[in-house]
Amino acid sequence: AEPRIPCPFSDPLIRRCSALLWAHLRRLHAHMAPSVQAELTNRLVHASKLGRAMISIASHGEGDRSGYLEVVRNCIMLQRCLVQAMDFNDSPLLQLPHVRSVPKGAPSFSEVLKSPEQSLLKRLGNFTEQQVLDIQCFCQHLPMVELSYSV
């Protein structure tokens, strides 16, 4: 079922850009004409700069700073979604090659990264031997970043 997302904007350019970004987040690239894909690519190039500017403004603005952390977190989440072509609530497992949906009882993303064995991947779907190798290769090359901070 196609999601019905109302667009609160009346400006045609903003409505078009909004529709392009939602199509990107829902990974509808195969249904786009080449000219539309090119327009989306152009928008995504500029979205990165815009996202950095939004984060900078939210974190360095004047006045009451009580709600800035949530705004910055949401800006970062939006950038992540745009880079990964994933909706806000999508499973990280959709980043894996050949994974198009995540069934109930699927292993966690970290479980797959730690041990992408064929028996574990069967809980995600029926993959060919080559697809399993693609997923295992992806897991081996994905950078593991550990982040810590102290206040």
Side-chain angles (χ1 to χ4, degrees):
E2 189 78 16
R4 305 280 304 154
I5 301 169
C7 184
F9 308 109
S10 60
D11 184 280
L13 186 61
I14 294 174
R15 290 179 72 93
R16 180 170 178 82
C17 186
S18 180
L20 279 173
L21 292 178
W22 277 113
H24 172 65
L25 295 178
R26 301 210 184 279
R27 297 182 174 197
L28 299 175
H29 305 93
H31 304 286
M32 295 179 192
S35 61
V36 175
Q37 288 181 0
E39 181 181 354
L40 174 61
T41 299
N42 186 36
R43 302 266 187 227
L44 291 173
V45 166
H46 296 295
S48 173
K49 296 172 191 169
L50 178 61
R52 286 195 310 267
M54 289 168 43
I55 290 168
S56 178
I57 290 167
S59 60
H60 295 102
E62 296 180 13
D64 181 20
R65 308 301 308 138
S66 60
Y68 85 96
L69 185 60
E70 191 64 26
V71 173
V72 169
R73 181 183 295 144
N74 288 336
C75 288
I76 292 170
M77 181 183 285
L78 174 62
Q79 282 193 294
R80 178 192 63 84
C81 291
L82 291 174
V83 167
Q84 297 171 344
M86 293 175 55
D87 204 347
F88 296 96
N89 298 317
D90 281 347
S91 168
L93 290 167
L94 293 174
Q95 297 174 75
L96 296 172
H98 313 295
V99 175
R100 301 293 171 250
S101 63
V102 180
K104 290 191 184 288
S108 70
F109 188 65
S110 59
E111 287 176 313
V112 173
L113 289 181
K114 288 177 186 169
S115 178
E117 303 299 323
Q118 190 163 9
S119 59
L120 184 68
L121 295 177
K122 284 185 180 181
R123 292 173 39 202
L124 274 177
N126 295 322
F127 301 111
T128 66
E129 193 172 314
Q130 183 59 49
Q131 289 174 328
V132 168
L133 290 174
D134 290 344
I135 294 171
Q136 290 171 337
C137 184
F138 174 88
C139 293
Q140 289 174 351
H141 290 92
L142 187 71
M144 297 300 289
V145 177
E146 188 173 314
L147 177 66
S148 64
Y149 68 94
S150 61
V151 180

